[in-house]
Amino acid sequence: SGRVRVGYNDAMLRHVSPLDRFPERPQRVAHAARLLADAGYLPSPPSDADEDNGAPCALRCGEPLPTRPATWEEVRRIHPSAEYEAFCVGGAVNFGDDVTSQGDMHIADDGSTRAAALLAAGTCIEAASAVVEADVEGKATNAFCLVRPPGHHCGEKPSGFCILNNVMVAVAAV
């Protein structure tokens, strides 16, 4: 089957920067999720539970991907530092001045960044697992993860708007 399984969770929208100029913001992903719902790739419009647009999800998307937070055990295969362990398990986080002085990096003190980053990485793990397993019923031939914060700039430390390298964490987990 050529259907796309989509991984998305509104909880990733809770990671918010206090900077007005911050381009990696919840509205960007929420808008994309609404467009995917309108096109039939998500079962209902995210964040608008009382609005039902009747999008024909069954025609285009497979079963929605489960979303879950990545565990420290999964993350540490790619990000083994003590700073990342503290970030993942809820300790005090200090990635150093070279990270926090970038001007586009924000890690919220309220845990919302941690929750969103772990959920983004866990969703990518679920997508990679579904595609690799590609069961005989055709439930997973391809997948798309609408996640935030993104992970493409992340190396040994967070960089850009990226906290965890979601794709590398997912590849290492499967």
Side-chain angles (χ1 to χ4, degrees):
S1 167
R3 290 193 264 186
V4 177
R5 291 186 68 189
V6 177
Y8 172 79
N9 188 312
D10 279 345
M12 288 179 262
L13 301 178
R14 295 186 190 122
H15 163 61
V16 179
S17 172
L19 306 173
D20 289 337
R21 63 173 176 72
F22 203 64
E24 207 303 288
R25 57 185 179 267
Q27 296 84 353
R28 178 186 64 80
V29 172
H31 180 72
R34 282 187 195 88
L35 292 173
L36 285 169
D38 289 347
Y41 289 99
L42 284 175
S44 63
S47 300
D48 295 328
D50 57 340
E51 179 184 329
D52 181 11
N53 69 352
C57 182
L59 299 177
R60 293 201 174 117
C61 64
E63 178 183 341
L65 288 167
T67 60
R68 65 164 178 88
T71 66
W72 165 237
E73 292 301 316
E74 292 166 326
V75 170
R76 79 182 204 171
R77 293 176 183 134
I78 301 301
H79 302 296
S81 72
E83 293 85 3
Y84 269 110
E85 181 177 14
F87 175 79
C88 291
V89 300
V93 178
N94 181 3
F95 284 110
D97 290 341
D98 58 327
V99 170
T100 55
S101 67
Q102 290 180 48
D104 55 4
M105 175 59 61
H106 175 72
I107 298 175
D109 293 334
D110 66 0
S112 62
T113 302
R114 174 183 298 110
L118 291 173
L119 187 56
T123 299
C124 291
I125 292 169
E126 291 295 322
S129 295
V131 171
V132 167
E133 292 168 10
D135 65 46
V136 294
E137 296 174 22
K139 290 183 179 178
T141 56
N142 50 58
F144 174 77
C145 296
L146 182 58
V147 298
R148 65 178 302 271
H152 58 283
H153 290 151
C154 187
E156 291 181 19
K157 291 185 176 183
S159 182
F161 309 116
C162 305
I163 311 293
L164 301 172
N165 190 319
N166 301 322
V167 172
M168 290 302 297
V169 169
V171 168
V174 298

